[in-house]
Amino acid sequence: MSKDIKELQSINMGSRLTPKLRTADFPNADEIVREGLLTAPRSADAVDIMLVNPPTPDGELWIRTQHRVGRRTRENMVWPQVSLAQMAALLHPVYTVKVVDCNAERMGWPEFTKLLDKYQPKYYLTQLTAPTCENDMYGCFLAHARGAKTIAFGTHITPIPMETMRPYPALDFALVGEPDLTIRDLLDHLEGRIDERSPEIKRIFDKHDPMYKPSFNEDGSVNMHGIKGIAWRKESQIILNFPRPFVADLDDMPIPMHELLPLQKYRMPYIKGPFTFMVTSRGCPAGCTYCIKHVSYQYATRLRAPKLIVEEMWYLKKLGINNIHMYADLFTVNRDQVIELCRLMIEEKIDIHWTSNSRVDFVDEEMLTLMGKAGCRLISWGIESGNEAILKHAKKGADPAKAERALRWAKQAGIMNWGYFIIGLPGETEETIRQTIDFAKKLPLDIALFHVAAPYPGTPFFFEVVKNKWFRPGTRWEQVDMDKGTVLDYPNMSAERLLYWQKKAFREWAFRPGPAFTYLKMLMYDWSTLKTAINVGWQHVFWANSDEGAPIGGAG
C-alpha cells in the first residue's frame, strides 16, 4: 500500500474498505423496560381500580350506561353514572377506587391521560357501547400501555364478547351480563382477597348462586375458567366462561357511592338544578324487539323495597340532591311498589322532585294521581309509533288508544309528558310514518324525540335485520346509532327516506305554537341552565334543517 493511500486513509475514514454485511444483532431493552413498568413506585394517589365513563367520540354530551345504548344527546342531558357508583360501593373499602365521568366533566383524551398517570390504576374498568366502541377502546389502550389490566362491560360486549375482544388486544377481560358481582369476584381472585369479604358481600354471593364457590386449582393458583360471567385471554385464545346468575335480591346491594360522582354536573330538561339516578328495579317483562335493555337484565323483574329507596333519597338530600330520576327498565312494573313508595314519600315529606319512565299499559289514573302528589314532575313514555300493525310486529304490547289515555291521565295529575318515537321499525311505510306524526301532534306532549330504528346487537330486531339483509353494506358498530344516522335499507324504504322522515317528523311536531311555548317555559324555568337550553334549541333547529346524520355507505 503506497504512502499516499495510507496517508489518505488516516485522514478520511471513508477511503477504507467497507465492512462486510453481518447478521443483524439488534439491542433488546424489553426486559429492562418491562421490569421498570412493573416496579415503578406508585404515588400516594394511586388506586386499585379506576371506573370510567371515557371521553366521548366528538367531545359532545353522550348517553352511555350499564344497560342502555350509547347515543349523542340532542337534549343535552348529562346522564349520571350510577352504575359505576354501584360497583364502587361493592369494591370499597377492600379496594381503593376512583370514578371518572369524562362525559359530565367534558374531559378530552389529553386531560384524561394525565389522570391515568396520576392515579396509576392496577385495573381499568370502562363503559362500552356500540356507537362508541372504537373510541372506548382507546382508553383501554392508554391504560394497558401503563400496566393496568383492562376490563369492559355494557350492552355491546355482553352479546358479542369474543368478537369484541378479538380486534382489540389491549382489552384483557369482558364482564358479560350484569357486572356488579363479577367485577368484585374477578378482583378478589386476581388479588387473592376473597377472605376479606364482609358478611354483607358474602351474603350476596351466597344468595345469587347456590352453586357459587371460589375458583382455585389444587396448587392454590387461580382457575380462571371457574370465574363466572367473564371472557378472558389465555395466550392466543379468548375464553368465554359460564354466565353468572343475576343478583337475586337488590335489597342486599349497598347504596351506590353517589359522593364519588360529579353530582353538580348532572342536568336534564325541566329539572331545576342537579339531579341523579336511583335504581328502583331491574328487568322488564315486555317483549319489545328493538329494546337493548333485555340484553343485560332480560325479562325477569327484581324490585327494591320502597323503604330502602326512600332511605337512599334521604342520603342524596344530604349530598345536596333534590331531583331524582327513578332509574329502571320500567319504573311502573309493579303497582304495589309504586303506590307504597309514593305514600312513603308523602308521609315523610321528603320534598323530592322526580321523574321516571313508564309504559302506557302499566299505569292507571289513581296511580298517576298519587305519583303527581308525591313529586313526580315528568314521565318519559316509549310510544314508538301511531300504527297498530307496526307496534304489533315490534311486540310492543300496547296501542295508540292506550297511549292517548295514559298521557291525558298524567297531564291531569300535573305530570309533564316526554314521548319517544321510532321511525323505521319493520313494516314501516311513508303512510305509517305519516300516521305517527299526526298521532304525536295530537298527544298532550311537552317534549317529543324522533329516533331512527337502530338494530343494536343482541336484540331480536338485530337478528331480524341480519336475516333479511337490511343492513347497509359496510356497516361498522360505530354507525349503529339512533341519532347520528341509519344503517338500514329496507326494500321499500331507503336510508335516505328514513332520515328525511325523521327530521320532517320533528319539524312538524316542534315548530308549532304549543311546543314553542313549552320551550320558552324551559328557558325561563332555571336561569342557571339558560345557556344549555338555548344550545339545545339551536342544536335541534340546525339538525332538523341540515344533512347531518347522512346514511352510512352512500346512496342505496
Side-chain angles (χ1 to χ4, degrees):
M1 183 179 297
S2 71
K3 182 179 179 181
D4 292 341
I5 293 176
K6 287 183 178 180
E7 185 177 352
L8 179 62
Q9 288 180 342
S10 68
I11 296 171
N12 185 346
M13 299 293 288
S15 63
R16 299 185 180 187
L17 292 174
T18 303
K20 293 181 179 180
L21 183 66
R22 299 178 182 179
T23 302
D25 184 19
F26 302 115
N28 191 308
D30 279 340
E31 187 175 344
I32 296 171
V33 172
R34 179 64 178 165
E35 184 67 20
L37 184 65
L38 294 175
T39 60
R42 304 192 79 217
S43 71
D45 294 318
V47 296
D48 292 318
I49 182 168
M50 181 181 282
L51 303 98
V52 177
N53 185 30
T56 61
D58 55 7
E60 298 299 327
L61 293 172
W62 283 66
I63 289 174
R64 178 169 45 189
T65 190
Q66 178 169 318
H67 67 298
R68 299 291 177 93
V69 303
R71 69 173 177 88
R72 171 88 173 271
T73 167
R74 281 187 278 120
E75 61 270 37
N76 271 17
M77 185 188 299
V78 186
W79 203 258
Q81 294 300 306
V82 69
S83 57
L84 300 182
Q86 179 67 82
M87 284 185 273
L90 284 161
L91 294 167
H92 179 79
V94 174
Y95 300 96
T96 53
V97 300
K98 174 67 178 177
V99 177
V100 181
D101 186 355
C102 298
N103 180 65
E105 301 283 4
R106 305 302 288 263
M107 185 186 301
W109 287 111
E111 186 179 352
F112 178 67
T113 303
K114 292 177 182 177
L115 286 186
L116 281 175
D117 291 333
K118 177 181 179 181
Y119 291 105
Q120 299 173 285
K122 294 174 68 176
Y123 297 93
Y124 174 90
L125 177 65
T126 182
Q127 302 267 21
L128 187 66
T129 67
T132 62
C133 181
E134 196 169 82
N135 172 83
D136 300 343
M137 288 296 186
Y138 182 60
C140 292
F141 165 78
L142 293 174
H144 201 271
R146 287 159 174 77
K149 293 290 185 183
T150 56
I151 310 163
F153 72 98
T155 52
H156 183 70
I157 205 163
T158 287
I160 43 175
M162 298 174 74
E163 286 306 307
T164 301
M165 292 182 70
R166 183 184 56 77
Y168 297 103
L171 179 60
D172 296 307
F173 299 98
L175 307 183
V176 180
E178 197 168 49
D180 310 84
L181 293 186
T182 305
I183 185 60
R184 178 64 193 259
D185 203 22
L186 177 62
L187 263 62
D188 282 351
H189 277 87
L190 295 178
E191 293 293 310
R193 304 182 79 167
I194 289 176
D195 292 340
E196 296 181 46
R197 291 175 179 172
S198 67
E200 293 78 14
I201 295 296
K202 287 180 181 177
R203 182 171 62 249
I204 299 175
F205 273 99
D206 291 341
K207 285 176 67 173
H208 97 287
D209 183 2
M211 303 296 291
Y212 174 79
K213 62 179 181 178
S215 182
F216 294 103
N217 297 309
E218 290 184 2
D219 63 0
S221 61
V222 176
N223 180 358
M224 293 298 300
H225 293 272
I227 303 175
K228 294 180 181 179
I230 67 169
W232 54 287
R233 298 183 188 275
K234 184 180 181 181
E235 298 174 350
S236 61
Q237 287 183 291
I238 298 172
I239 310 294
L240 177 61
N241 286 0
F242 198 79
R244 181 177 298 274
F246 293 114
V247 175
D249 189 347
L250 296 184
D251 289 346
D252 290 336
M253 298 280 275
I255 290 178
M257 296 182 73
H258 294 283
E259 66 271 19
L260 298 183
L261 300 174
L263 293 174
Q264 297 302 314
K265 303 282 187 179
Y266 296 132
R267 292 290 192 277
M268 73 176 292
Y270 297 110
I271 294 296
K272 188 173 184 178
F275 86 112
T276 196
F277 285 169
M278 271 190 51
V279 174
T280 58
S281 64
R282 288 181 177 180
C284 174
C288 309
T289 60
Y290 49 83
C291 185
I292 194 72
K293 291 179 287 187
H294 296 313
V295 170
S296 292
Y297 294 159
Q298 302 183 356
Y299 300 94
T301 303
R302 293 159 289 157
L303 306 173
R304 287 184 71 198
K307 180 182 177 181
L308 295 180
I309 297 173
V310 173
E311 284 180 11
E312 187 174 346
M313 287 182 186
W314 284 114
Y315 165 68
L316 285 167
K317 283 186 75 73
K318 291 178 182 177
L319 295 176
I321 298 299
N322 294 295
N323 303 296
I324 289 171
H325 177 70
M326 305 296 189
Y327 187 53
D329 296 315
L330 176 57
F331 171 68
T332 56
V333 67
N334 183 281
R335 188 181 192 276
D336 290 343
Q337 182 206 34
V338 174
I339 295 293
E340 184 180 351
L341 175 60
C342 290
R343 285 176 177 162
L344 281 174
M345 293 176 71
I346 293 169
E347 287 172 9
E348 297 192 20
K349 299 178 180 179
I350 196 163
D351 192 24
I352 286 279
H353 291 158
W354 54 279
T355 66
S356 75
N357 65 8
S358 186
R359 285 174 54 95
V360 299
D361 54 349
F362 272 74
V363 294
D364 57 68
E365 188 172 10
E366 180 187 3
M367 185 173 75
L368 287 169
T369 300
L370 191 61
M371 286 170 63
K373 290 178 180 178
C376 181
R377 299 295 299 274
L378 180 148
I379 297 175
S380 57
W381 309 88
I383 301 168
E384 322 312 359
S385 176
N387 180 272
E388 288 193 42
I390 297 294
L391 294 171
K392 185 175 181 180
H393 183 94
K395 298 184 179 179
K396 178 68 180 176
D399 59 64
K402 289 180 180 178
E404 187 170 359
R405 182 183 65 185
L407 268 64
R408 296 201 183 283
W409 281 340
K411 185 62 73 173
Q412 290 166 10
I415 300 171
M416 291 184 288
N417 291 313
W418 184 325
Y420 286 96
F421 298 87
I422 299 176
I423 303 297
L425 289 169
E428 195 84 275
T429 65
E430 298 198 359
E431 289 73 25
T432 61
I433 297 173
R434 181 75 263 166
Q435 276 184 269
T436 297
I437 297 171
D438 293 342
F439 182 57
K441 290 159 69 174
K442 175 178 156 184
L443 292 172
L445 287 169
D446 296 278
I447 307 176
L449 285 182
F450 297 83
H451 298 296
V452 174
Y456 290 104
T459 62
F461 180 35
F462 168 82
F463 293 110
E464 184 179 7
V465 170
V466 171
K467 179 181 178 181
N468 290 283
K469 299 180 179 179
W470 292 334
F471 267 119
R472 177 158 281 202
T475 295
R476 289 181 53 81
W477 291 122
E478 289 76 17
Q479 298 159 343
V480 183
D481 186 336
M482 65 174 68
D483 262 353
K484 292 177 67 178
T486 181
V487 297
L488 293 172
D489 258 333
Y490 291 117
N492 68 319
M493 184 85 71
S494 70
E496 287 79 8
R497 292 302 288 174
L498 287 174
L499 289 172
Y500 163 80
W501 278 105
Q502 179 199 16
K503 294 183 179 183
K504 182 176 176 60
F506 175 76
R507 287 195 303 267
E508 284 201 25
W509 183 86
F511 299 159
R512 298 178 298 138
F517 179 67
T518 299
Y519 175 66
L520 289 174
K521 285 195 298 183
M522 182 175 72
L523 288 178
M524 295 182 289
Y525 187 73
D526 184 2
W527 289 106
S528 67
T529 58
L530 178 63
K531 182 179 178 181
T532 296
I534 293 173
N535 179 263
V536 170
W538 173 246
Q539 278 193 62
H540 279 76
V541 170
F542 177 79
W543 168 81
N545 292 282
S546 72
D547 293 327
E548 180 185 321
I552 303 305

